[in-house]
């Protein structure tokens, strides 16, 4: 028998499916303890926390696992295609400018939050924000800024630009994962209380509700008993699309790198445009939107968004698996910087939402399009309603574009703050 922790992907995937099955079975019970439990704790949060607990207590070891890679590279683009298959592009445009305002507010929160966090922590723990040369803490924090405004490509660009000590880089990755995932958990907790939060924000949710009703009405109109042929056609749309988006994304990223110095040079602010992952997401979304103008749109009636939703929940489980709850207090000083940083980001979003009366949906997705990127922004958007997934995707893609420039500015401000 295999020793704990389990490292084989087949076993790890089986345990993740066990978690998902347990959550969806218990959440379907309409009486007693589980009914009360899920009235407080959202289903998606449990799908995220149970794998995190398995990793934290040493039952699974994700360090050598490919499950997250497969979920993010194959299942995520498939989900994006299936969940945008029936998109109403005009209705999404009618949502207005508040989504973009909240996204940019989140970006500003990250840019100013880093230097302010350094200033605060330096008061009671100056050694935490010190270091010289490649060991300077602000250089490492610059990589977190890249991740929190854009994504992995922007994070790698910041590591290349500011030359942080590679041996210490793992600690920065840990802070990134721990703090970002704690914030994601809080957002998911808020999803279950959306109505109360929107009333407190005095938000106008009419455009969101209209889109949800329009999509739901259309889905009911074309609903049918799903056949094997329907499922095979969904498989066709999803994974032929995944293949095309990987092929096109890889070649387009290479084309940009080969022909444009600003993309090829990791020290340039537009270097993140050379990311295969970014363009894979863009092309997958474009394929889904393209299909929405054809008869393929009717496959929503056969459960296209439900299959896409299943893929998204598998991705959620693999994201949760990367969170080791036991390491939260490994480096309390740096964790404190991360927590203050994300609190400033959250506070600025709440203030702006209150001022412009933006719905909680725009706050949550605007934040995750920054902090979580293309992997978690669609997850959060879909938790509100499958028809809103594309809003998360579009904002996350925008995050990749502004990520390196925003992180570069944040890093310069953190350097100043470190030397005050």
């Amino acid at each position: 028998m295999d020793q704990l922790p389990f490292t084989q992907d087949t076993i790890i995937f089986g345990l993740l499916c066990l978690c998902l099955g347990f959550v969806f079975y218990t959440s379907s019970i309409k009486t007693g303890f589980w009914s009360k439990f899920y009235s407080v704790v959202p289903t998606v949060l449990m799908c995220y926390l149970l794998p995190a607990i398995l990793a934290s207590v040493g039952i699974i070891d994700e360090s050598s696992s490919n499950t997250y890679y497969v979920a993010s590279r194959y299942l995520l683009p498939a989900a994006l295609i299936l969940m945008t298959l029936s998109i109403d592009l005009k209705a999404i445009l009618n949502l207005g400018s508040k989504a973009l305002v909240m996204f940019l507010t989140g970006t500003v929160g990250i840019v100013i939050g880093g230097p302010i966090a350094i200033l605060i922590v330096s008061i009671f723990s100056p050694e935490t924000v010190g270091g010289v040369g490649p060991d300077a803490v602000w250089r490492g924090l610059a990589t977190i800024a890249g991740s929190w405004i854009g994504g992995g490509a922007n994070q790698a660009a910041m590591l290349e630009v500011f030359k942080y000590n590679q041996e210490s880089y793992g600690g920065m990755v840990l802070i990134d994962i721990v703090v970002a995932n704690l914030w994601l958990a809080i957002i998911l907790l808020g999803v279950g209380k959306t109505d109360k939060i929107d009333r407190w924000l005095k938000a106008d949710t009419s455009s969101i509700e209209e889109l949800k009703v329009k999509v739901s009405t259309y889905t009911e109109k074309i609903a049918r008993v799903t056949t094997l042929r329907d499922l095979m056609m969904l498989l066709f749309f999803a994974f032929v699309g995944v293949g095309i988006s990987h092929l096109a994304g890889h070649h387009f990223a290479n084309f940009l790198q080969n022909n444009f110095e600003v993309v090829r040079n990791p020290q340039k602010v537009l270097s993140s445009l050379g990311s295969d992952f970014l363009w894979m997401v863009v092309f997958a979304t474009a394929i889904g939107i393209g299909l929405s103008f054809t008869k393929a749109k009717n496959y929503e009636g056969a459960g296209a968004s439900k299959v896409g939703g299943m893929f998204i929940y598998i991705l959620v489980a693999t994201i949760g698996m990367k969170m080791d709850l036991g390491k939260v207090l490994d480096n309390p000083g740096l964790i404190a910087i991360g927590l203050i940083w994300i609190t400033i980001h959250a506070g600025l979003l709440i203030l702006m939402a209150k001022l412009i009366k933006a719905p909680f949906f725009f706050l949550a997705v605007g934040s995750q399009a920054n902090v979580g990127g293309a992997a978690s922004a669609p997850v959060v958007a879909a938790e509100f309603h499958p028809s809103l997934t594309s809003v998360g995707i579009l904002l996350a893609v925008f995050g990749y574009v502004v990520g390196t420039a925003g992180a570069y500015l944040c890093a310069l401000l953190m350097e100043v703050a470190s030397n005050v």
Side-chain angles (χ1 to χ4, degrees):
M1 184 176 175
D2 286 331
Q3 297 285 313
L4 291 176
F6 294 119
T7 57
Q8 284 182 262
D9 279 342
T10 45
I11 298 172
I12 290 174
F13 184 68
L15 288 170
L16 295 182
C17 290
L18 174 65
C19 293
L20 294 174
F22 171 80
V23 170
F24 274 85
Y25 175 75
T26 52
S27 65
S28 68
I29 300 171
K30 301 303 179 188
T31 56
F33 168 78
W34 290 115
S35 174
K36 293 175 183 175
F37 179 80
Y38 285 104
S39 68
V40 177
V41 181
T43 304
V44 69
L45 180 59
M46 285 300 293
C47 293
Y48 162 83
L49 280 179
L50 289 183
I53 292 169
L54 290 181
S56 301
V57 300
I59 293 175
I60 59 177
D61 177 12
E62 65 81 34
S63 59
S64 59
S65 171
N66 289 313
T67 47
Y68 171 75
Y69 181 86
V70 171
S72 61
R73 267 56 176 187
Y74 303 124
L75 300 186
L76 173 62
L80 299 183
I81 291 166
L82 293 175
M83 296 176 90
T84 54
L85 197 80
S86 60
I87 189 175
D88 189 329
L89 209 54
K90 185 180 176 183
I92 284 180
L93 293 174
N94 287 340
L95 289 175
S97 61
K98 287 183 180 178
L100 186 59
V101 170
M102 292 306 293
F103 167 80
L104 292 173
T105 301
T107 303
V108 172
I110 299 298
V111 171
I112 67 171
I116 292 173
I118 286 177
L119 289 172
I120 292 171
V121 172
S122 66
I123 295 170
F124 57 87
S125 181
E127 67 280 0
T128 300
V129 297
V132 293
D135 292 311
V137 169
W138 69 266
R139 295 179 189 272
L141 295 174
T143 67
I144 297 177
S147 174
W148 284 0
I149 299 176
N154 309 84
Q155 186 172 29
M158 289 299 99
L159 182 62
E160 184 67 31
V161 170
F162 292 106
K163 307 294 184 187
Y164 183 60
N165 186 348
Q166 295 270 5
E167 292 180 9
S168 306
Y169 180 52
M172 293 298 168
V173 174
L174 176 67
I175 298 161
D176 174 11
I177 294 170
V178 168
V179 176
N181 286 350
L182 283 174
W183 174 233
L184 175 60
I186 292 168
I187 284 179
L188 293 176
L189 203 57
V191 172
K193 306 183 189 315
T194 302
D195 292 341
K196 286 183 180 177
I197 296 171
D198 282 340
R199 280 198 298 273
W200 180 77
L201 292 171
K202 297 179 181 176
D204 177 13
T205 61
S206 56
S207 59
I208 296 174
E209 293 306 317
E210 282 172 21
L211 176 58
K212 284 156 66 171
V213 168
K214 197 171 182 181
V215 171
S216 298
T217 303
Y218 176 74
T219 303
E220 286 172 15
K221 188 174 81 172
I222 61 173
R224 60 180 187 265
V225 176
T226 305
T227 64
L228 178 60
R229 179 185 177 278
D230 289 331
L231 292 173
M232 294 307 292
M233 288 305 294
L234 292 178
L235 189 75
F236 158 71
F237 290 130
F239 288 100
V240 170
V242 169
I244 293 170
S245 61
H246 272 270
L247 181 68
H250 175 69
H251 283 290
F252 191 67
N254 275 352
F255 168 77
L256 293 177
Q257 287 177 350
N258 292 334
N259 292 278
F260 299 95
E261 170 65 17
V262 291
V263 176
R264 181 168 58 251
N265 188 340
Q267 299 191 19
K268 300 292 185 180
V269 294
L270 294 179
S271 62
S272 61
L273 294 180
S275 164
D276 285 14
F277 182 75
L278 164 64
W279 293 110
M280 178 268 291
V281 168
V282 170
F283 281 110
T285 306
I287 290 168
I289 292 172
L291 288 171
S292 73
F293 291 100
T294 72
K295 289 183 178 179
K297 184 173 186 172
N298 293 331
Y299 278 93
E300 174 59 25
S305 64
K306 291 184 178 67
V307 176
M310 178 178 69
F311 293 159
I312 287 286
Y313 272 100
I314 294 171
L315 175 63
V316 168
T318 63
I319 292 173
M321 179 185 69
K322 295 168 73 67
M323 170 78 163
D324 187 344
L325 300 170
K327 290 185 177 178
V328 170
L329 297 177
D330 267 11
N331 194 332
L334 289 176
I335 291 290
I337 292 175
L339 292 174
I340 294 168
W341 194 349
I342 208 75
T343 301
I344 292 167
H345 164 78
L348 204 58
L349 279 168
I350 293 167
L351 178 63
M352 181 58 74
K354 190 76 173 168
L355 285 173
I356 67 173
K357 298 180 179 178
F360 177 61
F361 168 74
F362 290 148
L363 187 157
V365 175
S367 173
Q368 281 307 298
N370 278 286
V371 179
S376 62
V379 173
V380 172
E383 188 60 19
F384 285 88
H385 196 273
S387 64
L388 302 172
T389 305
S390 47
V391 180
I393 300 163
L394 296 172
L395 288 178
V397 168
F398 191 51
Y400 276 102
V401 175
V402 302
T404 302
Y408 191 85
L409 174 60
C410 179
L412 297 181
L413 293 174
M414 288 192 291
E415 182 182 12
V416 173
S418 297
N419 294 318
V420 169

